[in-house]
Amino acid sequence: INSAEGDISGLIWAVIGAVVAMVISFVVTMITYKDDEPDNQGKIKEKKETEKEVIYSPMKGEVKELSESEDAAFASGVLGKGIAILPTEGKVVAPCNGVITTFFNSLHAIGITSESGAEILIHVGIDTVKLDGKYFTAKAKEGDTITKGQLLLEFDIDGIKKEGYSVISPVIVTNPDQYSDILYVTGQSINYNSNLITLL
């Protein structure tokens, strides 16, 4: 009988010990626990909602709808989203900090990747590839690291027009799927380094 009572007594004390340990563990957890996750998620969400990149104007002129470029590939948006500029001065400056990923041999177009990964194409005129570099003077080269406002290219507006080509120049983002929205305003004059396209 004593043996059985001893066994039962030991079992009771074991159960009591387990319960006490659970209670202590629960209390310690409640005291030390800090609910960081909702705050972190909130901060991440807020950051994503407010994250944006501004592409500045590489030219001085009049901002037009892309459809006014009179080029089906640009007008349809198949090459990317953006605007067109009717330049009043024959210069192209860097629209952001980044790298020149492509500088066409004909010098009429420049591909740039910004520090944040935006892929931008600046195409001077329509069908001007046929000029094979005539009226264009490069001020930078493919592979160069560039800073916003840096002079990249000069071109002769009158010379291009005399050859029968339009100088209206598409400026597009060629990886628009990377962004939730792309904002721009048309129908207004713009100067170098003014806000042109906002990527969200």
PDB file of all heavy atoms in Angstrom, residues 151-190:
ATOM      1  N   LEU A 151      25.877  65.876 -70.289  1.00  0.00           N
ATOM      2  CA  LEU A 151      25.666  65.948 -71.732  1.00  0.00           C
ATOM      3  C   LEU A 151      26.088  64.627 -72.382  1.00  0.00           C
ATOM      4  O   LEU A 151      27.213  64.164 -72.206  1.00  0.00           O
ATOM      5  CB  LEU A 151      26.470  67.106 -72.337  1.00  0.00           C
ATOM      6  CG  LEU A 151      26.335  67.317 -73.855  1.00  0.00           C
ATOM      7  CD1 LEU A 151      24.892  67.645 -74.230  1.00  0.00           C
ATOM      8  CD2 LEU A 151      27.274  68.435 -74.317  1.00  0.00           C
ATOM      9  N   LEU A 152      25.155  64.038 -73.142  1.00  0.00           N
ATOM     10  CA  LEU A 152      25.417  62.752 -73.779  1.00  0.00           C
ATOM     11  C   LEU A 152      25.532  62.854 -75.304  1.00  0.00           C
ATOM     12  O   LEU A 152      26.257  62.080 -75.925  1.00  0.00           O
ATOM     13  CB  LEU A 152      24.293  61.757 -73.441  1.00  0.00           C
ATOM     14  CG  LEU A 152      23.972  61.525 -71.964  1.00  0.00           C
ATOM     15  CD1 LEU A 152      22.851  60.497 -71.834  1.00  0.00           C
ATOM     16  CD2 LEU A 152      25.212  61.079 -71.199  1.00  0.00           C
ATOM     17  N   LEU A 153      24.783  63.808 -75.874  1.00  0.00           N
ATOM     18  CA  LEU A 153      24.687  63.845 -77.330  1.00  0.00           C
ATOM     19  C   LEU A 153      24.294  65.247 -77.795  1.00  0.00           C
ATOM     20  O   LEU A 153      23.523  65.938 -77.122  1.00  0.00           O
ATOM     21  CB  LEU A 153      23.612  62.847 -77.790  1.00  0.00           C
ATOM     22  CG  LEU A 153      23.305  62.752 -79.286  1.00  0.00           C
ATOM     23  CD1 LEU A 153      24.469  62.117 -80.040  1.00  0.00           C
ATOM     24  CD2 LEU A 153      22.039  61.928 -79.516  1.00  0.00           C
ATOM     25  N   GLU A 154      24.847  65.655 -78.929  1.00  0.00           N
ATOM     26  CA  GLU A 154      24.407  66.886 -79.597  1.00  0.00           C
ATOM     27  C   GLU A 154      23.920  66.515 -80.989  1.00  0.00           C
ATOM     28  O   GLU A 154      24.440  65.591 -81.624  1.00  0.00           O
ATOM     29  CB  GLU A 154      25.560  67.891 -79.675  1.00  0.00           C
ATOM     30  CG  GLU A 154      25.956  68.464 -78.318  1.00  0.00           C
ATOM     31  CD  GLU A 154      27.068  69.501 -78.401  1.00  0.00           C
ATOM     32  OE1 GLU A 154      27.786  69.500 -79.441  1.00  0.00           O
ATOM     33  OE2 GLU A 154      27.221  70.282 -77.448  1.00  0.00           O
ATOM     34  N   PHE A 155      22.916  67.241 -81.471  1.00  0.00           N
ATOM     35  CA  PHE A 155      22.391  66.960 -82.810  1.00  0.00           C
ATOM     36  C   PHE A 155      21.918  68.264 -83.452  1.00  0.00           C
ATOM     37  O   PHE A 155      21.542  69.223 -82.781  1.00  0.00           O
ATOM     38  CB  PHE A 155      21.264  65.926 -82.755  1.00  0.00           C
ATOM     39  CG  PHE A 155      20.092  66.295 -81.890  1.00  0.00           C
ATOM     40  CD1 PHE A 155      18.950  66.868 -82.431  1.00  0.00           C
ATOM     41  CD2 PHE A 155      20.126  66.053 -80.518  1.00  0.00           C
ATOM     42  CE1 PHE A 155      17.871  67.203 -81.630  1.00  0.00           C
ATOM     43  CE2 PHE A 155      19.039  66.372 -79.709  1.00  0.00           C
ATOM     44  CZ  PHE A 155      17.908  66.961 -80.259  1.00  0.00           C
ATOM     45  N   ASP A 156      21.950  68.270 -84.781  1.00  0.00           N
ATOM     46  CA  ASP A 156      21.609  69.466 -85.562  1.00  0.00           C
ATOM     47  C   ASP A 156      20.147  69.357 -85.988  1.00  0.00           C
ATOM     48  O   ASP A 156      19.810  68.623 -86.927  1.00  0.00           O
ATOM     49  CB  ASP A 156      22.541  69.545 -86.777  1.00  0.00           C
ATOM     50  CG  ASP A 156      22.308  70.782 -87.634  1.00  0.00           C
ATOM     51  OD1 ASP A 156      21.293  71.475 -87.438  1.00  0.00           O
ATOM     52  OD2 ASP A 156      23.141  71.036 -88.519  1.00  0.00           O
ATOM     53  N   ILE A 157      19.297  70.100 -85.297  1.00  0.00           N
ATOM     54  CA  ILE A 157      17.861  70.038 -85.584  1.00  0.00           C
ATOM     55  C   ILE A 157      17.567  70.454 -87.021  1.00  0.00           C
ATOM     56  O   ILE A 157      16.834  69.756 -87.745  1.00  0.00           O
ATOM     57  CB  ILE A 157      17.075  70.929 -84.595  1.00  0.00           C
ATOM     58  CG1 ILE A 157      17.169  70.355 -83.175  1.00  0.00           C
ATOM     59  CG2 ILE A 157      15.610  71.040 -85.019  1.00  0.00           C
ATOM     60  CD1 ILE A 157      16.506  71.213 -82.119  1.00  0.00           C
ATOM     61  N   ASP A 158      18.122  71.564 -87.447  1.00  0.00           N
ATOM     62  CA  ASP A 158      17.847  72.060 -88.806  1.00  0.00           C
ATOM     63  C   ASP A 158      18.355  71.097 -89.867  1.00  0.00           C
ATOM     64  O   ASP A 158      17.687  70.858 -90.891  1.00  0.00           O
ATOM     65  CB  ASP A 158      18.488  73.442 -89.006  1.00  0.00           C
ATOM     66  CG  ASP A 158      17.821  74.513 -88.160  1.00  0.00           C
ATOM     67  OD1 ASP A 158      16.636  74.336 -87.814  1.00  0.00           O
ATOM     68  OD2 ASP A 158      18.493  75.516 -87.824  1.00  0.00           O
ATOM     69  N   GLY A 159      19.530  70.539 -89.633  1.00  0.00           N
ATOM     70  CA  GLY A 159      20.086  69.589 -90.600  1.00  0.00           C
ATOM     71  C   GLY A 159      19.211  68.355 -90.748  1.00  0.00           C
ATOM     72  O   GLY A 159      18.962  67.881 -91.867  1.00  0.00           O
ATOM     73  N   ILE A 160      18.733  67.834 -89.641  1.00  0.00           N
ATOM     74  CA  ILE A 160      17.866  66.644 -89.663  1.00  0.00           C
ATOM     75  C   ILE A 160      16.569  66.959 -90.396  1.00  0.00           C
ATOM     76  O   ILE A 160      16.082  66.163 -91.219  1.00  0.00           O
ATOM     77  CB  ILE A 160      17.587  66.154 -88.230  1.00  0.00           C
ATOM     78  CG1 ILE A 160      18.878  65.636 -87.595  1.00  0.00           C
ATOM     79  CG2 ILE A 160      16.520  65.058 -88.222  1.00  0.00           C
ATOM     80  CD1 ILE A 160      18.762  65.336 -86.101  1.00  0.00           C
ATOM     81  N   LYS A 161      16.005  68.131 -90.127  1.00  0.00           N
ATOM     82  CA  LYS A 161      14.761  68.530 -90.785  1.00  0.00           C
ATOM     83  C   LYS A 161      14.957  68.699 -92.292  1.00  0.00           C
ATOM     84  O   LYS A 161      14.093  68.319 -93.087  1.00  0.00           O
ATOM     85  CB  LYS A 161      14.240  69.837 -90.173  1.00  0.00           C
ATOM     86  CG  LYS A 161      13.619  69.690 -88.802  1.00  0.00           C
ATOM     87  CD  LYS A 161      13.113  71.054 -88.306  1.00  0.00           C
ATOM     88  CE  LYS A 161      12.402  70.934 -86.982  1.00  0.00           C
ATOM     89  NZ  LYS A 161      11.930  72.267 -86.504  1.00  0.00           N
ATOM     90  N   LYS A 162      16.100  69.272 -92.693  1.00  0.00           N
ATOM     91  CA  LYS A 162      16.367  69.476 -94.117  1.00  0.00           C
ATOM     92  C   LYS A 162      16.458  68.157 -94.873  1.00  0.00           C
ATOM     93  O   LYS A 162      16.174  68.088 -96.080  1.00  0.00           O
ATOM     94  CB  LYS A 162      17.667  70.268 -94.292  1.00  0.00           C
ATOM     95  CG  LYS A 162      17.521  71.747 -93.979  1.00  0.00           C
ATOM     96  CD  LYS A 162      18.862  72.470 -94.104  1.00  0.00           C
ATOM     97  CE  LYS A 162      18.716  73.947 -93.721  1.00  0.00           C
ATOM     98  NZ  LYS A 162      20.026  74.667 -93.755  1.00  0.00           N
ATOM     99  N   GLU A 163      16.862  67.107 -94.148  1.00  0.00           N
ATOM    100  CA  GLU A 163      16.933  65.779 -94.769  1.00  0.00           C
ATOM    101  C   GLU A 163      15.548  65.123 -94.858  1.00  0.00           C
ATOM    102  O   GLU A 163      15.398  64.035 -95.399  1.00  0.00           O
ATOM    103  CB  GLU A 163      17.858  64.874 -93.950  1.00  0.00           C
ATOM    104  CG  GLU A 163      19.307  65.317 -93.920  1.00  0.00           C
ATOM    105  CD  GLU A 163      20.055  64.979 -95.201  1.00  0.00           C
ATOM    106  OE1 GLU A 163      19.487  64.276 -96.059  1.00  0.00           O
ATOM    107  OE2 GLU A 163      21.210  65.422 -95.340  1.00  0.00           O
ATOM    108  N   GLY A 164      14.552  65.805 -94.295  1.00  0.00           N
ATOM    109  CA  GLY A 164      13.173  65.309 -94.404  1.00  0.00           C
ATOM    110  C   GLY A 164      12.704  64.457 -93.236  1.00  0.00           C
ATOM    111  O   GLY A 164      11.671  63.784 -93.331  1.00  0.00           O
ATOM    112  N   TYR A 165      13.443  64.491 -92.129  1.00  0.00           N
ATOM    113  CA  TYR A 165      13.074  63.667 -90.973  1.00  0.00           C
ATOM    114  C   TYR A 165      12.474  64.522 -89.846  1.00  0.00           C
ATOM    115  O   TYR A 165      12.881  65.669 -89.636  1.00  0.00           O
ATOM    116  CB  TYR A 165      14.305  62.926 -90.443  1.00  0.00           C
ATOM    117  CG  TYR A 165      14.878  61.936 -91.414  1.00  0.00           C
ATOM    118  CD1 TYR A 165      15.961  62.288 -92.238  1.00  0.00           C
ATOM    119  CD2 TYR A 165      14.349  60.654 -91.546  1.00  0.00           C
ATOM    120  CE1 TYR A 165      16.498  61.384 -93.143  1.00  0.00           C
ATOM    121  CE2 TYR A 165      14.877  59.749 -92.448  1.00  0.00           C
ATOM    122  CZ  TYR A 165      15.937  60.115 -93.240  1.00  0.00           C
ATOM    123  OH  TYR A 165      16.458  59.229 -94.153  1.00  0.00           O
ATOM    124  N   SER A 166      11.534  63.920 -89.147  1.00  0.00           N
ATOM    125  CA  SER A 166      10.950  64.560 -87.974  1.00  0.00           C
ATOM    126  C   SER A 166      11.928  64.455 -86.809  1.00  0.00           C
ATOM    127  O   SER A 166      12.598  63.436 -86.639  1.00  0.00           O
ATOM    128  CB  SER A 166       9.637  63.872 -87.594  1.00  0.00           C
ATOM    129  OG  SER A 166       9.198  64.293 -86.312  1.00  0.00           O
ATOM    130  N   VAL A 167      11.993  65.521 -86.006  1.00  0.00           N
ATOM    131  CA  VAL A 167      12.881  65.483 -84.841  1.00  0.00           C
ATOM    132  C   VAL A 167      12.130  65.147 -83.549  1.00  0.00           C
ATOM    133  O   VAL A 167      12.729  65.139 -82.470  1.00  0.00           O
ATOM    134  CB  VAL A 167      13.641  66.822 -84.657  1.00  0.00           C
ATOM    135  CG1 VAL A 167      14.619  67.029 -85.785  1.00  0.00           C
ATOM    136  CG2 VAL A 167      12.683  67.994 -84.516  1.00  0.00           C
ATOM    137  N   ILE A 168      10.834  64.870 -83.640  1.00  0.00           N
ATOM    138  CA  ILE A 168      10.097  64.496 -82.432  1.00  0.00           C
ATOM    139  C   ILE A 168      10.732  63.225 -81.859  1.00  0.00           C
ATOM    140  O   ILE A 168      11.001  62.263 -82.589  1.00  0.00           O
ATOM    141  CB  ILE A 168       8.590  64.308 -82.707  1.00  0.00           C
ATOM    142  CG1 ILE A 168       7.835  64.218 -81.385  1.00  0.00           C
ATOM    143  CG2 ILE A 168       8.318  63.114 -83.599  1.00  0.00           C
ATOM    144  CD1 ILE A 168       6.334  64.405 -81.526  1.00  0.00           C
ATOM    145  N   SER A 169      11.004  63.242 -80.561  1.00  0.00           N
ATOM    146  CA  SER A 169      11.888  62.227 -79.969  1.00  0.00           C
ATOM    147  C   SER A 169      11.225  61.469 -78.822  1.00  0.00           C
ATOM    148  O   SER A 169      10.984  62.040 -77.745  1.00  0.00           O
ATOM    149  CB  SER A 169      13.164  62.908 -79.453  1.00  0.00           C
ATOM    150  OG  SER A 169      13.811  63.610 -80.498  1.00  0.00           O
ATOM    151  N   PRO A 170      10.931  60.185 -79.023  1.00  0.00           N
ATOM    152  CA  PRO A 170      10.358  59.375 -77.945  1.00  0.00           C
ATOM    153  C   PRO A 170      11.342  59.171 -76.791  1.00  0.00           C
ATOM    154  O   PRO A 170      12.541  58.966 -77.013  1.00  0.00           O
ATOM    155  CB  PRO A 170      10.065  58.030 -78.637  1.00  0.00           C
ATOM    156  CG  PRO A 170       9.943  58.369 -80.090  1.00  0.00           C
ATOM    157  CD  PRO A 170      10.954  59.459 -80.303  1.00  0.00           C
ATOM    158  N   VAL A 171      10.835  59.260 -75.586  1.00  0.00           N
ATOM    159  CA  VAL A 171      11.585  58.915 -74.371  1.00  0.00           C
ATOM    160  C   VAL A 171      10.720  57.919 -73.627  1.00  0.00           C
ATOM    161  O   VAL A 171       9.650  58.272 -73.126  1.00  0.00           O
ATOM    162  CB  VAL A 171      11.856  60.157 -73.489  1.00  0.00           C
ATOM    163  CG1 VAL A 171      12.616  59.751 -72.228  1.00  0.00           C
ATOM    164  CG2 VAL A 171      12.615  61.223 -74.272  1.00  0.00           C
ATOM    165  N   ILE A 172      11.152  56.663 -73.591  1.00  0.00           N
ATOM    166  CA  ILE A 172      10.286  55.617 -73.054  1.00  0.00           C
ATOM    167  C   ILE A 172      10.995  54.755 -72.009  1.00  0.00           C
ATOM    168  O   ILE A 172      12.220  54.672 -71.974  1.00  0.00           O
ATOM    169  CB  ILE A 172       9.748  54.700 -74.178  1.00  0.00           C
ATOM    170  CG1 ILE A 172      10.894  53.973 -74.890  1.00  0.00           C
ATOM    171  CG2 ILE A 172       8.908  55.491 -75.164  1.00  0.00           C
ATOM    172  CD1 ILE A 172      10.434  52.908 -75.871  1.00  0.00           C
ATOM    173  N   VAL A 173      10.175  54.137 -71.181  1.00  0.00           N
ATOM    174  CA  VAL A 173      10.649  53.140 -70.218  1.00  0.00           C
ATOM    175  C   VAL A 173      10.367  51.778 -70.857  1.00  0.00           C
ATOM    176  O   VAL A 173       9.222  51.443 -71.133  1.00  0.00           O
ATOM    177  CB  VAL A 173       9.914  53.271 -68.874  1.00  0.00           C
ATOM    178  CG1 VAL A 173      10.357  52.184 -67.910  1.00  0.00           C
ATOM    179  CG2 VAL A 173      10.171  54.646 -68.269  1.00  0.00           C
ATOM    180  N   THR A 174      11.419  51.024 -71.117  1.00  0.00           N
ATOM    181  CA  THR A 174      11.258  49.771 -71.865  1.00  0.00           C
ATOM    182  C   THR A 174      10.974  48.562 -70.979  1.00  0.00           C
ATOM    183  O   THR A 174      10.765  47.463 -71.486  1.00  0.00           O
ATOM    184  CB  THR A 174      12.503  49.497 -72.730  1.00  0.00           C
ATOM    185  OG1 THR A 174      13.655  49.411 -71.885  1.00  0.00           O
ATOM    186  CG2 THR A 174      12.704  50.604 -73.753  1.00  0.00           C
ATOM    187  N   ASN A 175      10.982  48.751 -69.647  1.00  0.00           N
ATOM    188  CA  ASN A 175      10.597  47.659 -68.738  1.00  0.00           C
ATOM    189  C   ASN A 175       9.432  48.103 -67.841  1.00  0.00           C
ATOM    190  O   ASN A 175       9.517  48.062 -66.619  1.00  0.00           O
ATOM    191  CB  ASN A 175      11.787  47.183 -67.896  1.00  0.00           C
ATOM    192  CG  ASN A 175      12.380  48.286 -67.020  1.00  0.00           C
ATOM    193  OD1 ASN A 175      12.231  49.474 -67.305  1.00  0.00           O
ATOM    194  ND2 ASN A 175      13.050  47.906 -65.938  1.00  0.00           N
ATOM    195  N   PRO A 176       8.319  48.544 -68.460  1.00  0.00           N
ATOM    196  CA  PRO A 176       7.200  49.088 -67.683  1.00  0.00           C
ATOM    197  C   PRO A 176       6.540  48.076 -66.760  1.00  0.00           C
ATOM    198  O   PRO A 176       5.897  48.459 -65.770  1.00  0.00           O
ATOM    199  CB  PRO A 176       6.222  49.569 -68.764  1.00  0.00           C
ATOM    200  CG  PRO A 176       6.520  48.703 -69.945  1.00  0.00           C
ATOM    201  CD  PRO A 176       8.010  48.507 -69.901  1.00  0.00           C
ATOM    202  N   ASP A 177       6.682  46.786 -67.054  1.00  0.00           N
ATOM    203  CA  ASP A 177       6.057  45.742 -66.225  1.00  0.00           C
ATOM    204  C   ASP A 177       6.658  45.692 -64.823  1.00  0.00           C
ATOM    205  O   ASP A 177       6.091  45.061 -63.926  1.00  0.00           O
ATOM    206  CB  ASP A 177       6.200  44.375 -66.893  1.00  0.00           C
ATOM    207  CG  ASP A 177       5.389  44.279 -68.180  1.00  0.00           C
ATOM    208  OD1 ASP A 177       4.497  45.126 -68.366  1.00  0.00           O
ATOM    209  OD2 ASP A 177       5.667  43.377 -68.993  1.00  0.00           O
ATOM    210  N   GLN A 178       7.794  46.335 -64.615  1.00  0.00           N
ATOM    211  CA  GLN A 178       8.433  46.347 -63.301  1.00  0.00           C
ATOM    212  C   GLN A 178       7.782  47.363 -62.353  1.00  0.00           C
ATOM    213  O   GLN A 178       8.138  47.421 -61.180  1.00  0.00           O
ATOM    214  CB  GLN A 178       9.923  46.695 -63.446  1.00  0.00           C
ATOM    215  CG  GLN A 178      10.706  45.739 -64.326  1.00  0.00           C
ATOM    216  CD  GLN A 178      10.712  44.328 -63.775  1.00  0.00           C
ATOM    217  OE1 GLN A 178      10.951  44.125 -62.587  1.00  0.00           O
ATOM    218  NE2 GLN A 178      10.432  43.361 -64.624  1.00  0.00           N
ATOM    219  N   TYR A 179       6.822  48.136 -62.878  1.00  0.00           N
ATOM    220  CA  TYR A 179       6.228  49.205 -62.081  1.00  0.00           C
ATOM    221  C   TYR A 179       4.708  49.088 -62.045  1.00  0.00           C
ATOM    222  O   TYR A 179       4.087  48.608 -62.999  1.00  0.00           O
ATOM    223  CB  TYR A 179       6.649  50.571 -62.653  1.00  0.00           C
ATOM    224  CG  TYR A 179       8.150  50.699 -62.730  1.00  0.00           C
ATOM    225  CD1 TYR A 179       8.836  50.411 -63.911  1.00  0.00           C
ATOM    226  CD2 TYR A 179       8.894  51.048 -61.608  1.00  0.00           C
ATOM    227  CE1 TYR A 179      10.217  50.481 -63.977  1.00  0.00           C
ATOM    228  CE2 TYR A 179      10.279  51.119 -61.664  1.00  0.00           C
ATOM    229  CZ  TYR A 179      10.933  50.839 -62.847  1.00  0.00           C
ATOM    230  OH  TYR A 179      12.296  50.897 -62.905  1.00  0.00           O
ATOM    231  N   SER A 180       4.124  49.541 -60.936  1.00  0.00           N
ATOM    232  CA  SER A 180       2.666  49.488 -60.800  1.00  0.00           C
ATOM    233  C   SER A 180       2.008  50.604 -61.591  1.00  0.00           C
ATOM    234  O   SER A 180       0.866  50.476 -62.031  1.00  0.00           O
ATOM    235  CB  SER A 180       2.260  49.593 -59.327  1.00  0.00           C
ATOM    236  OG  SER A 180       2.746  50.809 -58.759  1.00  0.00           O
ATOM    237  N   ASP A 181       2.738  51.709 -61.790  1.00  0.00           N
ATOM    238  CA  ASP A 181       2.181  52.820 -62.561  1.00  0.00           C
ATOM    239  C   ASP A 181       3.306  53.691 -63.094  1.00  0.00           C
ATOM    240  O   ASP A 181       4.394  53.752 -62.507  1.00  0.00           O
ATOM    241  CB  ASP A 181       1.249  53.659 -61.679  1.00  0.00           C
ATOM    242  CG  ASP A 181       0.215  54.426 -62.501  1.00  0.00           C
ATOM    243  OD1 ASP A 181       0.235  54.321 -63.744  1.00  0.00           O
ATOM    244  OD2 ASP A 181      -0.617  55.133 -61.889  1.00  0.00           O
ATOM    245  N   ILE A 182       3.037  54.354 -64.219  1.00  0.00           N
ATOM    246  CA  ILE A 182       3.995  55.279 -64.823  1.00  0.00           C
ATOM    247  C   ILE A 182       3.248  56.573 -65.106  1.00  0.00           C
ATOM    248  O   ILE A 182       2.263  56.574 -65.856  1.00  0.00           O
ATOM    249  CB  ILE A 182       4.596  54.695 -66.120  1.00  0.00           C
ATOM    250  CG1 ILE A 182       5.381  53.410 -65.804  1.00  0.00           C
ATOM    251  CG2 ILE A 182       5.501  55.708 -66.810  1.00  0.00           C
ATOM    252  CD1 ILE A 182       5.971  52.734 -67.021  1.00  0.00           C
ATOM    253  N   LEU A 183       3.703  57.655 -64.493  1.00  0.00           N
ATOM    254  CA  LEU A 183       2.994  58.929 -64.593  1.00  0.00           C
ATOM    255  C   LEU A 183       3.800  59.944 -65.393  1.00  0.00           C
ATOM    256  O   LEU A 183       5.019  60.023 -65.266  1.00  0.00           O
ATOM    257  CB  LEU A 183       2.737  59.488 -63.186  1.00  0.00           C
ATOM    258  CG  LEU A 183       2.061  58.542 -62.176  1.00  0.00           C
ATOM    259  CD1 LEU A 183       1.961  59.213 -60.820  1.00  0.00           C
ATOM    260  CD2 LEU A 183       0.686  58.129 -62.671  1.00  0.00           C
ATOM    261  N   TYR A 184       3.095  60.729 -66.208  1.00  0.00           N
ATOM    262  CA  TYR A 184       3.738  61.795 -66.965  1.00  0.00           C
ATOM    263  C   TYR A 184       2.667  62.779 -67.417  1.00  0.00           C
ATOM    264  O   TYR A 184       1.474  62.463 -67.441  1.00  0.00           O
ATOM    265  CB  TYR A 184       4.503  61.247 -68.177  1.00  0.00           C
ATOM    266  CG  TYR A 184       3.781  60.168 -68.944  1.00  0.00           C
ATOM    267  CD1 TYR A 184       2.807  60.482 -69.890  1.00  0.00           C
ATOM    268  CD2 TYR A 184       4.064  58.829 -68.709  1.00  0.00           C
ATOM    269  CE1 TYR A 184       2.139  59.486 -70.574  1.00  0.00           C
ATOM    270  CE2 TYR A 184       3.396  57.828 -69.395  1.00  0.00           C
ATOM    271  CZ  TYR A 184       2.433  58.156 -70.330  1.00  0.00           C
ATOM    272  OH  TYR A 184       1.771  57.174 -70.993  1.00  0.00           O
ATOM    273  N   VAL A 185       3.102  63.979 -67.753  1.00  0.00           N
ATOM    274  CA  VAL A 185       2.186  65.021 -68.210  1.00  0.00           C
ATOM    275  C   VAL A 185       2.629  65.464 -69.595  1.00  0.00           C
ATOM    276  O   VAL A 185       3.819  65.660 -69.845  1.00  0.00           O
ATOM    277  CB  VAL A 185       2.187  66.223 -67.245  1.00  0.00           C
ATOM    278  CG1 VAL A 185       1.261  67.320 -67.769  1.00  0.00           C
ATOM    279  CG2 VAL A 185       1.758  65.792 -65.851  1.00  0.00           C
ATOM    280  N   THR A 186       1.674  65.620 -70.505  1.00  0.00           N
ATOM    281  CA  THR A 186       1.995  66.047 -71.867  1.00  0.00           C
ATOM    282  C   THR A 186       1.382  67.425 -72.136  1.00  0.00           C
ATOM    283  O   THR A 186       0.624  67.953 -71.324  1.00  0.00           O
ATOM    284  CB  THR A 186       1.473  65.034 -72.895  1.00  0.00           C
ATOM    285  OG1 THR A 186       0.052  64.889 -72.733  1.00  0.00           O
ATOM    286  CG2 THR A 186       2.128  63.679 -72.709  1.00  0.00           C
ATOM    287  N   GLY A 187       1.720  67.987 -73.299  1.00  0.00           N
ATOM    288  CA  GLY A 187       1.136  69.254 -73.698  1.00  0.00           C
ATOM    289  C   GLY A 187       1.717  70.461 -72.995  1.00  0.00           C
ATOM    290  O   GLY A 187       1.036  71.473 -72.813  1.00  0.00           O
ATOM    291  N   GLN A 188       2.971  70.359 -72.587  1.00  0.00           N
ATOM    292  CA  GLN A 188       3.596  71.494 -71.909  1.00  0.00           C
ATOM    293  C   GLN A 188       5.067  71.584 -72.280  1.00  0.00           C
ATOM    294  O   GLN A 188       5.669  70.609 -72.723  1.00  0.00           O
ATOM    295  CB  GLN A 188       3.451  71.364 -70.395  1.00  0.00           C
ATOM    296  CG  GLN A 188       4.180  70.160 -69.805  1.00  0.00           C
ATOM    297  CD  GLN A 188       3.971  70.044 -68.306  1.00  0.00           C
ATOM    298  OE1 GLN A 188       2.925  70.407 -67.786  1.00  0.00           O
ATOM    299  NE2 GLN A 188       4.977  69.544 -67.601  1.00  0.00           N
ATOM    300  N   SER A 189       5.623  72.769 -72.099  1.00  0.00           N
ATOM    301  CA  SER A 189       7.052  72.956 -72.353  1.00  0.00           C
ATOM    302  C   SER A 189       7.840  72.384 -71.183  1.00  0.00           C
ATOM    303  O   SER A 189       7.373  72.370 -70.048  1.00  0.00           O
ATOM    304  CB  SER A 189       7.369  74.444 -72.513  1.00  0.00           C
ATOM    305  OG  SER A 189       6.716  74.969 -73.652  1.00  0.00           O
ATOM    306  N   ILE A 190       9.053  71.914 -71.489  1.00  0.00           N
ATOM    307  CA  ILE A 190       9.886  71.332 -70.439  1.00  0.00           C
ATOM    308  C   ILE A 190      11.336  71.703 -70.676  1.00  0.00           C
ATOM    309  O   ILE A 190      11.744  71.935 -71.828  1.00  0.00           O
ATOM    310  CB  ILE A 190       9.713  69.791 -70.396  1.00  0.00           C
ATOM    311  CG1 ILE A 190      10.186  69.227 -69.053  1.00  0.00           C
ATOM    312  CG2 ILE A 190      10.426  69.115 -71.569  1.00  0.00           C
ATOM    313  CD1 ILE A 190       9.714  67.819 -68.794  1.00  0.00           C
TER     314      ILE A 190
END
